[in-house]
Amino acid sequence: MQNLIDGRAIAGEIHAETAARVVHLRSRGIVPGLVFVRVGEDPASQVYVGMKEKKSRELGIHSETRVLPESTTQTELLALVATFNADPRWHGILVQAPLPRHIDQATVYAAVDPRKDVDGFHPINVGKLLLGDAGGFVPCTPGGVHELLVRSHVKLDGAEVVVLGRGNIVGKPMASILVQKGRHANCTVTVCHSGTRDIAAHCRRADIIVAAMGVPEFVRAPMVREGAVVIDVGVNRVPDASAKSGYRLVGDVAFGEVQPKAGLITPNPGGVGPMTIAMLLANTVRAAELAGQ
Ligand code: GUN
């Protein structure tokens, strides 16, 4: 069935555009730089940061990863962020979440220079997104979902969108992007969460469902209107005795039963995941372009 949104292919298009911008920057003597900070040895973070750094290098972005021990204090981490803020080699700074429990994530993200905040997590960038000020940085995952929708020619103007999940990394910024007045937005957005009375009823009305609440296979076929666009942001570990690792990854959408009903749907993996990296590197290059003006 040809209703898949190929996130790898669309991410590939964006990487090609980003690579061309890197070439242009380098011709002006500017090498875009992106520094990663990882605290502790969270296995998923090791994989994610490794993938992001590898892709950065492939595109000609100078990148390094600083790995700090789990015992790092918040003061030490803030001091490191301050050195990166002051270092003109770094146009982007990414502190990978989750951080150890003794470190306050919001304090760390607020300490990153907003001009280097390629994650889009600084309160100034969060505010700009909500205000419709295109001068800030948009968080990579919801920004990537938006690109998937736009580049797949999904009609957004006037669309009924249901966002499942109200997290700061995906749900809230996703709603902020799609509710804006203007081209490639102008949606009627409903955000559902654990306090919502009848999530299925909201979903059944939706032209577009963005599932980002972190519940394995939450979205089932009866919740989806025939022809709806379904975007699966979920990455959930579920125990699987037959897997070597003892677990397997599943999304927030029961793909097998939802795909036949959907107008378009993201596979998982191969849908939203590759877009997050593509948007991160596009944000980094934009930070370098703005710094070089
Ligand atoms: N952990 C999971 N997703 C992200 C992300 O987009 N940025 C950062 N910094 N950490 C994450």
Side-chain angles (χ1 to χ4, degrees):
M1 227 162 91
Q2 284 312 305
N3 65 345
L4 294 182
I5 296 178
D6 186 345
R8 290 196 183 103
I10 296 174
E13 282 173 23
I14 294 170
H15 285 312
E17 293 162 15
T18 303
R21 290 162 71 186
V22 173
V23 169
H24 185 67
L25 280 167
R26 282 177 170 258
S27 75
R28 293 169 49 205
I30 300 167
V31 179
L34 173 57
V35 65
F36 298 96
V37 183
R38 194 159 60 65
V39 187
E41 298 302 331
D42 176 61
S45 294
Q46 289 180 21
V47 173
Y48 290 142
V49 172
M51 284 171 18
K52 291 175 191 175
E53 189 181 353
K54 179 166 172 282
K55 199 72 202 177
S56 303
R57 294 200 169 149
E58 280 174 30
L59 298 193
I61 296 171
H62 174 63
S63 69
E64 278 175 26
T65 300
R66 300 293 169 86
V67 180
L68 305 178
E70 181 84 20
S71 59
T72 303
T73 65
Q74 180 166 306
T75 308
E76 287 166 337
L77 179 56
L78 291 175
L80 184 66
V81 167
T83 67
F84 295 150
N85 283 341
D87 186 339
R89 281 181 310 154
W90 302 123
H91 302 99
I93 301 167
L94 186 145
V95 182
Q96 182 71 17
L99 291 169
R101 290 158 64 101
H102 62 274
I103 296 179
D104 180 54
Q105 206 159 292
T107 303
V108 174
Y109 289 132
V112 173
D113 184 328
R115 293 165 300 184
K116 300 189 177 193
D117 170 39
V118 288
D119 256 330
F121 293 165
H122 190 286
I124 286 196
N125 287 316
V126 175
K128 285 185 174 177
L129 176 58
L130 200 56
L131 291 168
D133 175 345
F137 289 102
V138 174
C140 303
T141 301
V145 170
H146 187 228
E147 281 294 324
L148 282 181
L149 294 169
V150 170
R151 291 180 190 239
S152 303
H153 310 291
V154 172
K155 185 177 183 306
L156 294 174
D157 190 359
E160 294 276 346
V161 179
V162 167
V163 176
L164 301 174
R166 58 177 153 188
N168 290 332
I169 294 183
V170 185
K172 285 187 209 164
M174 187 80 253
S176 303
I177 293 168
L178 293 173
V179 81
Q180 295 302 326
K181 193 174 179 110
R183 230 164 92 74
H184 300 318
N186 214 25
C187 302
T188 302
V189 182
T190 304
V191 180
C192 296
H193 46 74
S194 53
T196 303
R197 256 184 286 141
D198 188 349
I199 292 182
H202 288 289
C203 286
R204 278 193 293 271
R205 282 194 301 101
D207 301 310
I208 301 167
I209 297 173
V210 180
M213 83 290 247
V215 179
E217 302 189 323
F218 179 87
V219 178
R220 308 292 303 267
M223 299 164 69
V224 177
R225 204 171 51 71
E226 196 77 43
V229 175
V230 181
I231 306 290
D232 187 0
V233 183
V235 183
N236 308 292
R237 279 185 183 202
V238 296
D240 182 349
S242 69
K244 206 164 62 179
S245 57
Y247 68 87
R248 70 193 157 89
L249 295 176
V250 299
D252 287 356
V253 176
F255 182 85
E257 62 180 62
V258 172
Q259 187 197 9
K261 262 185 118 174
L264 285 172
I265 187 167
T266 53
N268 192 348
V272 174
M275 292 300 290
T276 300
I277 298 185
M279 300 314 288
L280 170 68
L281 303 186
N283 277 351
T284 301
V285 166
R286 186 157 152 262
E289 288 166 350
L290 292 171
Q293 275 175 0

